[in-house]
């Protein structure tokens, strides 16, 4: 893990860009911390540069409450090499959605499963590197992004203690089996009127999670319209489970 | 409205029992208030005496945040005269549920519609009396209880600015039409694993509400297992809309 740039904001939060091998990432740490900070992994749909304003807002909101926050670029997004198979699957999905057709399971599988298979070990490697920093202690939460990545991480990564998931993307059928194996506390955000998302699939996925503590928050406002108060609710969810 | 008893708790909250004609009720007001307090009407399934511990906890939690809180007995519950038609409908419903049969719409109609028709004007009369007290100012929120009463109140009572509804009881089909007329901000609680409640009906009702701001919070824990953190979330919902 190599830091490549840093800036400190007025609120004291330190933002550092880094690379982990070929993977770019960003780390935000609170301005003042008496003890190693708990960590929130900030998920996203891919494309750090485009997502930066929203990611930085979420991370600095968390840092204000004493959390470190970090994110890495997804495989095939941003400046990382494209996968022609993923691009093809994405085009097939877009065609189906635009034609108003149901999206075939095999398209979702081709798009999401290789992404999850590649991304999850990368987030785990990032976790290794981040937890070796003296200013970061854990426990660790995962927040947002491609929900299938969050589900797989919740199953395979014992260092993640709680996850705030955003039910806003297509989910392969096989992820439902993995969802049943999740036991950590979950808060799941669903945009009720998200036209690009399958609401019933999101409700079925929430139902499938094996966690004894799971909460669904559904709101209006479309895919990108998650209300601002959910940011506070997310911090309180992590405060219950990471502090 | 006649006050019949009062006690002050260690936290300064003043609890007063009252009668409004034949209807018993309870009013809680904050220990210290510089201005007339906003009011939360505290709904319940009927039976003030049995419900008292939970009602008082909710009301004092709200009073700690500066709200007045009040409740009245429902028609046919507690010490109020029973309706033989309602008792019969309740027995029919219990029989159907115990036999594992679907509950016929006409049973739900017989049980709930007369209750709503009678209760709603009573809550409105209580509101008249409560808002005439110098220590209560408004705005007014409605919280919990029989969801059909909350829906009807949200439609017909313009003094109610926001409602926190508990989707935990059978809803007559005709209430869906009323739900579409609701426009005030809503937060709807659903116990996901509530075996005595129809989850799909609750989701359909949430979908039907006409409000632009509506939030669904679904949790595990069975009918009576609403997590304690939802009390804080409820206060924050009212803080956004009543202050």
């Amino acid at each position: 893990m190599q830091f490549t740039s840093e800036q400190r904001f007025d609120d004291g939060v330190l933002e550092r860009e880094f690379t982990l091998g070929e993977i770019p990432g960003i780390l935000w740490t609170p301005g003042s911390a008496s003890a190693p900070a708990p960590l929130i992994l900030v998920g996203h749909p891919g494309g750090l540069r485009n997502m930066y304003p929203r990611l930085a807002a979420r991370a600095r909101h968390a840092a204000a409450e004493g959390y470190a926050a970090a994110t890495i670029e997804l495989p095939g997004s941003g400046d990382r090499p494209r996968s022609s198979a993923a691009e093809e699957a994405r085009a097939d999905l877009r065609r189906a959605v635009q034609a108003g057709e149901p999206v075939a399971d095999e398209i979702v599988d081709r798009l999401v499963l290789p992404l999850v298979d590649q991304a999850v070990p990368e987030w785990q490697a990032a976790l290794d590197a981040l937890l070796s920093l003296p200013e970061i202690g854990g426990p660790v939460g995962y927040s947002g992004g491609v929900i299938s990545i969050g589900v797989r991480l919740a199953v395979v990564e014992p260092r993640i203690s709680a996850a705030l998931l955003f039910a806003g993307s297509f989910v392969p059928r096989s992820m439902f089996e993995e969802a049943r194996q999740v036991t950590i506390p979950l808060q799941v955000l669903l945009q009720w009127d998200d036209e690009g998302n399958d609401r019933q699939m999101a409700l079925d996925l929430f139902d499938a999670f094996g966690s004894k503590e799971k909460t669904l928050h559904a709101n209006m406002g479309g895919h990108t319209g998650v209300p601002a108060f959910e940011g506070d609710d997310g911090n309180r969810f992590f405060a219950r489970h990471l502090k």
Side-chain angles (χ1 to χ4, degrees), chain A:
Chain A
M1 184 183 210
Q2 289 203 296
F3 290 108
T4 54
S5 76
E6 71 170 62
Q7 62 173 316
R8 194 175 287 276
F9 296 105
D10 290 346
D11 55 6
V13 173
L14 180 65
E15 176 183 289
R16 282 174 284 180
E17 298 190 28
F18 63 84
T19 55
L20 188 76
E22 305 296 309
I23 308 166
I26 313 175
L27 169 64
W28 295 266
T29 43
S32 61
S34 48
L39 173 65
I40 296 175
L41 298 174
V42 182
H44 56 83
L48 278 193
R49 213 163 288 175
N50 287 339
M51 291 297 296
Y52 175 81
R54 272 183 281 172
L55 292 171
R58 283 163 60 200
R60 292 172 63 183
H61 193 165
E65 305 275 330
Y67 301 99
T71 191
I72 56 173
E73 185 59 278
L74 294 188
S77 289
D79 297 333
R80 300 188 62 187
R82 295 287 175 277
S83 140
S84 57
E87 296 293 306
E88 206 174 294
R90 198 186 312 277
D92 291 345
L93 182 135
R94 200 172 295 132
R95 253 191 304 274
V97 169
Q98 283 172 352
E101 293 165 5
V103 177
D105 286 352
E106 64 86 20
I107 298 178
V108 176
D109 286 354
R110 275 193 285 130
L111 181 64
V112 180
L113 292 179
L115 175 68
V116 172
D117 288 342
Q118 193 182 340
V120 166
E122 293 178 353
W123 285 83
Q124 292 184 288
L127 201 46
D128 293 340
L130 291 159
L131 288 175
S132 72
L133 298 173
E135 61 269 40
I136 300 180
V140 180
Y142 176 86
S143 169
V146 177
I147 191 165
S148 298
I149 294 176
V151 173
R152 172 76 58 80
L153 272 170
V155 173
V156 301
E157 180 45 72
R159 291 174 293 183
I160 294 181
S161 303
L164 179 65
L165 301 175
F166 180 51
S169 53
F170 287 92
V171 175
R173 294 277 154 204
S174 59
M175 291 307 299
F176 282 75
E177 210 36 69
E178 298 190 41
R180 273 180 263 279
Q181 300 168 38
V182 174
T183 57
I184 58 171
L186 298 179
Q187 190 153 297
V188 180
L189 290 182
L190 169 65
Q191 289 299 95
W192 193 257
D193 56 350
D194 182 345
E195 288 185 12
N197 188 34
D198 183 332
R199 184 198 298 161
Q200 191 56 52
M201 177 185 271
L203 294 170
D204 291 344
L205 186 67
F206 178 73
D207 193 45
F209 286 122
S211 307
K212 258 186 6 199
E213 178 174 342
K214 55 181 179 182
T215 298
L216 177 73
H217 283 192
N219 289 287
M220 308 302 288
H223 185 81
T224 58
V226 177
F229 57 76
E230 287 293 353
D232 295 320
D233 274 13
N235 276 355
R236 281 186 290 264
F237 168 72
F238 284 124
R240 288 202 300 278
H241 298 292
L242 302 187
K243 282 190 168 169

